[in-house]
Amino acid sequence: MWRVASVLCAVLAWTAAASKDYLVHVSLYYESLCPFCRAFLNDTLFPLHQGPIGKLMHVDLVPYGNVYEVRGEWMCQHGPIECQLNTLEACALEEAGPQEAFAFVTCIERNAFEFEEKIQACATDAGMESLVDSIQKCADGKKGKKLFEEMGKKTQALRPPHQYVPWVTVNDVPLEADYSNLKTFVCAAYSAGPKPDACFETQKSDSVQKGSPGFLLRGSTMSKIDVQ
């Protein structure tokens, strides 16, 4: 529990310094074909955001992850399709409203290995079907490339640098291996008013989840790691 306590202290210190901005800032740095990123997005972050605790949060999605450069070309950890999907999601985040884009990205991540067949259906479910053409045009053009590079700059600006994905921060404080305890950190950081009853409900993820796997940066001797 010492790890949770130390992160909570850092989150609360940031909150005290930035109390005028009442929403808790949650950022997810991820890559679109990472199975652990997809699971966290679908099973933890999106459901939390859809419930009463979602009203306490501002969520920033950064689809980039462990991209590396080879002879001036960007390479994604899971291949060129991941670069394509990262770009598509960056375009959706740019073109649509935050709620609609979040729902769209989550749906696409749920169907990541058949995303081209699901774009229209996911857009319809998210209430943004009229934006499909502009999102695809963005993803196929210079704008998509620019957005991809912007996501890279956000990721590379992390201090401390990310070590693996998913990399989750609350008020700019990295949760590291405790990202499954997101609800605990969001509820602790919120100080602008009464907290919803959901903050006081216990659940399995409220205890520290040891051994949560994450994908390491390129250059490690392993492609994935059990984070302790």
Side-chain angles (χ1 to χ4, degrees):
M1 293 300 293
W2 68 270
R3 167 63 193 163
V4 172
S6 64
V7 174
L8 277 174
C9 287
V11 169
L12 291 172
W14 188 102
T15 302
S19 58
K20 65 180 180 179
D21 190 359
Y22 68 93
L23 290 179
V24 179
H25 287 244
V26 176
S27 297
L28 170 61
Y29 298 83
Y30 71 103
E31 53 197 23
S32 55
L33 294 184
C34 163
F36 310 110
C37 301
R38 296 173 62 211
F40 174 76
L41 181 59
N42 278 283
D43 300 338
T44 300
L45 181 57
F46 188 71
L48 193 67
H49 187 265
Q50 294 302 103
I53 293 174
K55 296 178 181 178
L56 315 182
M57 305 160 56
H58 168 80
V59 175
D60 187 23
L61 301 178
V62 185
Y64 188 79
N66 300 332
V67 176
Y68 56 97
E69 187 177 354
V70 176
R71 294 189 293 276
E73 296 289 333
W74 296 114
M75 301 290 178
C76 290
Q77 188 161 350
H78 297 92
I81 292 178
E82 182 169 73
C83 285
Q84 181 184 353
L85 186 50
N86 285 351
T87 304
L88 179 79
E89 292 180 3
C91 286
L93 293 165
E94 174 73 11
E95 297 288 327
Q99 300 292 336
E100 293 81 5
F102 193 8
F104 174 79
V105 168
T106 302
C107 178
I108 288 291
E109 285 298 301
R110 196 178 301 122
N111 301 280
F113 291 98
E114 50 181 0
F115 73 91
E116 291 179 318
E117 303 169 13
K118 298 292 185 179
I119 290 175
Q120 187 66 55
C122 286
T124 299
D125 289 346
M128 47 181 277
E129 58 271 22
S130 63
L131 297 176
V132 169
D133 288 345
S134 62
I135 289 171
Q136 291 186 312
K137 182 178 179 181
C138 168
D140 294 337
K142 292 181 179 179
K143 185 175 181 179
K145 182 179 179 181
K146 180 180 178 182
L147 290 172
F148 181 86
E149 291 173 350
E150 288 177 1
M151 294 298 176
K153 290 177 181 177
K154 282 186 178 182
T155 303
Q156 292 157 9
L158 280 167
R159 294 294 180 270
H162 81 288
Q163 300 172 26
Y164 43 80
V165 289
W167 190 256
V168 182
T169 66
V170 171
N171 290 346
D172 293 332
V173 177
L175 303 189
E176 299 186 6
D178 298 324
Y179 60 80
S180 61
N181 297 304
L182 179 62
K183 187 188 89 168
T184 298
F185 294 110
V186 171
C187 289
Y190 185 74
S191 61
K195 300 178 183 182
D197 291 343
C199 280
F200 306 100
E201 296 171 356
T202 59
Q203 61 183 46
K204 184 177 180 181
S205 63
D206 286 342
S207 59
V208 179
Q209 302 291 308
K210 299 233 182 202
S212 302
F215 274 82
L216 281 172
L217 288 167
R218 182 176 172 83
S220 171
T221 57
M222 298 175 63
S223 61
K224 68 177 181 177
I225 184 173
D226 285 334
V227 180
Q228 302 299 324

